[in-house]
Amino acid sequence: QETMEVLSMVVDKIEHASLYYGLGKRFQTALEWLASADVGALTPGQRVDIDGDNVFATLFEVDTLPPEACKLECHQNYADIQYLLSGMEGAGYALPDAELRALSEYDSKGDIQFYTAEWDTLTIRPGTFYIVWPQDLHAPRVALGQPGPVQRLVAKVKLK
C-alpha cells in the first residue's frame, strides 16, 4: 500500500498568475497563454501546442460527475494547470497520508494513472486555476450538488 505524504497543489485566481512565473519558463508560458487564450477559437478536446511537448493545452466542455463516478488521477511527467472558465466544479484531492489503491497501471502515453483513496473536495469557481504536481492525486469534474456543465482549459507543463 502506498501513502501520500503532502498536498502541494496551488489554487489561485488567474489575475494572480504572475506570482507563479518563478516556477519556471514553462509555467510562465502556460499561465500567460491561459490568461489570454481566445476560447472561442478553440475546439473542445483538441490539443493546442503552445510550446510543442513542453507546454500544451486542451479545452474541455463537459458535465461534472457525481463524486462516486470520479477517480483520483496523477501524472509523472507533467504538471496540470486546470483553469475553470465557466460553471462550478469540485476538485477532489487525496487526503494526506491516505492509503492509495491503484485502479490502473501507469499509462506512459497518456501520462496518467488512476487511484482510489479517501479524498476531500475543493470548490473551484470561474476564474480560478489550480496546479497539481505528480504527487497530487486529484479528481477533476466533481459535481457540487447536481451535475452541470463546465468549461475548463487544462495546460500540461513538462517537468523534466
Side-chain angles (χ1 to χ4, degrees):
Q1 297 262 343
E2 299 176 52
T3 61
M4 184 173 141
E5 295 175 14
V6 66
L7 179 69
S8 56
M9 67 192 290
V10 169
V11 182
D12 209 337
K13 295 295 224 171
I14 198 69
E15 58 261 28
H16 302 143
S18 64
L19 296 173
Y20 304 95
Y21 291 176
L23 292 172
K25 180 66 178 143
R26 292 177 185 166
F27 282 92
Q28 180 174 347
T29 298
L31 289 163
E32 287 176 341
W33 185 87
L34 289 170
S36 64
D38 179 3
V39 177
L42 302 177
T43 302
Q46 183 178 357
R47 175 179 158 150
V48 177
D49 285 333
I50 301 163
D51 179 19
D53 285 337
N54 290 322
V55 181
F56 58 91
T58 305
L59 173 66
F60 291 92
E61 291 181 352
V62 296
D63 286 337
T64 57
L65 300 169
E68 60 273 11
C70 297
K71 295 184 276 191
L72 293 166
E73 62 184 59
C74 66
H75 316 286
Q76 292 183 14
N77 299 314
Y78 288 85
D80 274 4
I81 306 176
Q82 304 220 10
Y83 173 39
L84 190 64
L85 301 168
S86 66
M88 292 272 287
E89 74 176 345
Y93 62 93
L95 295 174
D97 299 322
E99 286 190 19
L100 308 177
R101 201 178 47 180
L103 295 174
S104 69
E105 295 295 317
Y106 174 68
D107 171 6
S108 59
K109 187 172 189 279
D111 188 40
I112 196 164
Q113 186 171 7
F114 294 99
Y115 286 85
T116 186
E118 187 178 357
W119 55 296
D120 209 344
T121 306
L122 294 170
T123 298
I124 306 297
R125 293 175 173 78
T128 301
F129 71 91
Y130 61 96
I131 302 173
V132 288
W133 309 97
Q135 68 272 19
D136 295 327
L137 273 74
H138 57 285
R141 291 182 71 180
V142 180
L144 301 170
Q146 289 295 101
V150 294
Q151 188 180 50
R152 178 178 2 99
L153 282 171
V154 179
K156 305 290 266 180
V157 179
K158 191 170 187 179
L159 295 171
K160 298 176 187 167

